[in-house]
Amino acid sequence: DTGVSQDPRHKITKRGQNVTFRCDPISEHNRLYWYRQTLGQGPEFLTYFQNEAQLEKSRLLSDRFSAERPKGSFSTLEIQRTEQGDSAMYLCASSFPRGSQETQYFGPGTRLLVL
Amino acid sequence: AQTVTQSQPEMSVQEAETVTLSCTYDTSESDYYLFWYKQPPSRQMILVIRQEAYKQQNATENRFSVNFQKAAKSFSLKISDSQLGDAAMYFCAYKSLFSGGYQKVTFGTGTKLQVIP
């Protein structure tokens, strides 16, 4: 168990560019989540996958954002035509269904800065 | 929609002393989960403690315990014998129990805990 990993850890881009982030969950976890965390705030839910199916999307996830989990393992989050307001930490988490004992394990995050 | 409020942006505690972090939430549901997460500087967020709302007994994990007041919708975290490694942002969080597959966790804005040697 190597934990949840995210790549890259930091990304600086210019406004209008597209960026893609990757998340590798803990291997046996079939649930995967994306959150966004801005400075001084708690994480805000963006989207959730169970296996390869995207089951929930927040209203925060505008049409410039797309997330995929093609084989039910790693996931990607793409932001098209980035805006300065997209600057944030993007967190990925994974879990395995265990009823009341289910725990979301978080990755280290990808910090995005849009200039 | 559920909301989680942490009214203390920052707290400090002397090493070895006890500190209590406050959290209130708003929900119309009767069954749910509550969590405290710890986010050390530049490190991953980890779960500290969880509470099922249908359990009356307050959860305890070593030096960490909660005071869960369901009627008041209050969920405070007590850290006993504070250690330097406890310094971090602490987030209170809420999750519905009967979600029908809905897995959203709602976080508060966090409390930054400083531990003074």
Side-chain angles (χ1 to χ4, degrees), chain B:
Chain B
Q2 294 81 23
T3 58
V4 177
T5 302
Q6 294 179 249
S7 58
Q8 304 155 316
E10 294 189 28
M11 293 279 287
S12 62
V13 61
Q14 291 285 143
E15 196 175 2
E17 296 295 309
T18 296
V19 64
T20 299
L21 308 184
S22 301
C23 172
T24 59
Y25 57 93
D26 187 28
T27 184
S28 58
E29 299 173 333
S30 58
D31 290 310
Y32 43 86
Y33 301 118
L34 295 166
F35 308 90
W36 279 98
Y37 280 89
K38 171 184 177 182
Q39 189 176 40
S42 301
R43 292 181 60 189
Q44 286 157 258
M45 188 161 353
I46 58 172
L47 179 67
V48 174
I49 198 166
R50 79 172 79 228
Q51 174 81 41
E52 290 92 342
Y54 55 88
K55 291 185 178 179
Q56 293 186 336
Q57 187 173 5
N58 288 326
T60 299
E61 288 286 344
N62 301 314
R63 298 182 294 107
F64 298 87
S65 62
V66 299
N67 183 6
F68 173 48
Q69 300 290 325
K70 191 173 183 179
K73 297 180 182 175
S74 170
F75 183 61
S76 61
L77 174 71
K78 185 172 82 171
I79 307 174
S80 304
D81 185 26
S82 297
Q83 301 175 0
L84 295 178
D86 295 333
M89 283 291 288
Y90 286 82
F91 293 97
C92 179
Y94 172 104
K95 180 182 169 185
S96 296
L97 176 62
F98 296 113
S99 59
Y102 186 62
Q103 298 294 330
K104 175 183 175 181
V105 176
T106 301
F107 287 84
T109 52
T111 296
K112 183 177 181 180
L113 179 66
Q114 180 185 19
V115 181
I116 302 167

Side-chain angles (χ1 to χ4, degrees), chain A residues 63-106:
Chain A
D63 56 6
R64 297 185 297 105
F65 288 70
S66 62
E68 294 183 345
R69 196 182 182 197
K71 298 182 180 178
S73 56
F74 73 92
S75 175
T76 59
L77 177 69
E78 181 184 15
I79 309 174
Q80 295 181 327
R81 305 181 304 282
T82 52
E83 301 173 356
Q84 288 182 326
D86 297 331
S87 296
M89 175 78 86
Y90 290 84
L91 296 171
C92 176
S94 70
S95 69
F96 187 81
R98 281 199 179 97
S100 64
Q101 296 306 305
E102 181 171 350
T103 298
Q104 292 188 19
Y105 291 85
F106 283 81

